Amino acid sequence: MPLSHRGTSHPLVAVTVLLCAFLCPAPAGASEGPDTSAEVARLYEEASAATARYEAGRHAAKEQRAKVRKLDRLLTKEQAAVDVLHADLGRMASAQYRNGGDLPQTAQLLLADSPEELIRGQRLLGQADLAVTHAVSKTQQAAARLSDAKHSADRAKRALDRRNATLTRLKRTIESKLASAQWTLQGEADRSVAAGKCRGAVRLDQPESHSTRAWTSPVETYELSAGFDSAGERWSHRHTGQDFAVGIGAPVRAVGAGRVVSVSCGGGFGIEVVVEHKGGYYTQYAHLAAVTVDQGERVDPGQWVGQAGTTGNSTGPHLHFEVRLTPYLGSGVDPVPWLEDRGVRL
């Protein structure tokens, strides 16, 4: 299901405490509708935070695995260098043996054609032995350091994997709770539509907005589905708006400043909100599961006007969004270029 990724982050402990709070039974006689809407909104935030933490942990684990692989390659290279030096030292020892290395120094001097040359050769061979021994020691020390670093990186990778497994379980638990709450909310919405009576605005705590933009998209995280003027078996005529595939309960935002001219429940659009904007345009937000505004209320760009759902003539959770020249069906214009003209690219 699509999740909001506003970047809001909460401590893992807070996520766990909040999850436990959701798992506890609600007090008897509590107002079911507003509580369910608020629960869905909170769970969207918690699912988003859990997803962000999981993705960060997964990225960190990937980097750690790359570090371990690099250390493995360096360790192999250092071991090869040690092997080469050991082979060189063996060849030098063999050469020394063939040149009389098993004889006492006095005997070698007596038998040598040129004692001075023999002494000079012995000195050079000794210096080479010392150099090789020093190089072997340094290489072995480097290999030991690399081995220690690899073990540390392996431990860090295992710790990250354990953390990711914990985050995965938490994320799945939150998403399972969210799915249950979403369909509870949708059931309440369906009952409102069947009765033809809206439950009234649900007042939710909305995030602070620091944006100075006059226009925005109606939902934050989405996939575009049916477009304007497209044909299909689901519509008696051409499709009159742009659909956004989102999960039940996803916040639906006013695309710009305006005034709510109608909130209605029933008919093909299910629960819907229509907002009037300056310049003679109207925007419609349909198939909602809940509304967060009242008729006559003024709204700002990005302010939540409802929660997405699948009420009315809908085959799955999505937002049906229209731009109209009047408040009524049949006066729609293509929302995509209309929003692009106002700096919003979908």
Side-chain angles (χ1 to χ4, degrees):
M1 68 191 65
L3 296 177
S4 171
H5 295 285
R6 190 176 291 117
T8 305
S9 180
H10 306 283
L12 188 58
V13 174
V15 174
T16 306
V17 171
L18 185 57
L19 178 61
C20 292
F22 290 150
L23 292 173
C24 296
S31 176
E32 193 176 43
D35 285 351
T36 305
S37 289
E39 180 179 350
V40 169
R42 287 194 302 267
L43 280 167
Y44 260 98
E45 291 299 316
E46 296 309 322
S48 176
T51 298
R53 275 188 176 77
Y54 172 77
E55 289 301 318
R58 189 177 62 83
H59 181 69
K62 181 180 178 182
E63 289 184 343
Q64 196 66 41
R65 282 190 286 270
K67 182 178 179 181
V68 171
R69 287 194 296 270
K70 181 179 179 181
L71 287 169
D72 269 335
R73 290 193 295 270
L74 288 173
L75 189 59
T76 301
K77 184 177 179 181
E78 291 292 345
Q79 187 59 54
V82 171
D83 293 342
V84 169
L85 286 169
H86 275 301
D88 288 344
L89 186 58
R91 284 193 295 272
M92 294 174 74
S94 297
Q96 185 181 13
Y97 174 80
R98 287 194 301 272
N99 292 325
D102 59 329
L103 295 176
Q105 185 74 17
T106 303
Q108 291 185 42
L109 286 171
L110 291 173
L111 296 173
D113 294 333
S114 175
E116 294 82 1
E117 187 68 27
L118 176 62
I119 292 171
R120 187 164 51 253
Q122 291 286 353
R123 186 183 303 114
L124 291 173
L125 186 59
Q127 290 172 352
D129 284 347
L130 287 174
V132 170
T133 300
H134 180 64
V136 168
S137 177
K138 285 183 62 178
T139 304
Q140 288 175 331
Q141 290 172 7
R145 289 194 300 271
L146 277 172
S147 181
D148 289 342
K150 180 179 177 298
H151 289 318
S152 297
D154 275 329
R155 287 194 297 271
K157 183 183 75 67
R158 289 193 294 270
L160 281 169
D161 287 341
R162 288 193 297 270
R163 175 178 179 270
N164 282 354
T166 300
L167 287 173
T168 299
R169 289 192 295 271
L170 178 62
K171 179 171 173 284
R172 286 175 179 170
T173 302
I174 293 174
E175 288 176 346
S176 175
K177 181 67 177 176
L178 174 58
S180 176
Q182 285 175 317
W183 288 108
T184 299
L185 178 64
Q186 182 62 41
E188 296 166 2
D190 289 337
R191 288 192 290 273
S192 294
V193 171
K197 182 178 180 181
C198 292
R199 290 179 290 133
V202 176
R203 300 304 177 180
L204 301 177
D205 293 331
Q206 302 193 32
E208 291 185 16
S209 175
H210 303 287
S211 174
T212 57
R213 297 181 59 181
W215 300 93
T216 188
S217 63
V219 285
E220 188 171 12
T221 302
Y222 56 85
E223 291 183 8
L224 295 177
S225 49
F228 179 76
D229 205 30
S230 56
E233 297 177 356
R234 296 188 297 273
W235 312 296
S236 56
H237 302 290
R238 308 289 287 187
H239 192 237
T240 54
Q242 174 64 56
D243 286 352
F244 296 78
V246 291
I248 295 170
V252 174
R253 311 182 295 187
V255 296
R259 182 178 63 89
V260 178
V261 295
S262 71
V263 176
S264 60
C265 300
F269 287 121
I271 299 176
E272 62 170 318
V273 173
V274 177
V275 177
E276 179 184 13
H277 305 279
K278 288 184 178 179
Y281 288 100
Y282 298 80
T283 53
Q284 180 215 28
Y285 313 81
H287 303 308
L288 303 177
V291 295
T292 58
V293 290
D294 287 317
Q295 186 168 321
E297 185 176 335
R298 300 206 65 83
V299 294
D300 296 319
Q303 180 179 334
W304 294 356
V305 297
Q307 291 174 289
T310 182
T311 54
N313 183 19
S314 170
T315 58
H318 72 285
L319 169 69
H320 175 85
F321 173 73
E322 289 193 18
V323 177
R324 299 172 175 175
L325 299 175
T326 73
Y328 310 110
L329 178 65
S331 60
V333 299
D334 192 340
V336 174
W338 187 86
L339 284 171
E340 285 182 352
D341 288 344
R342 287 152 180 79
V344 180
R345 184 176 294 275
L346 300 178

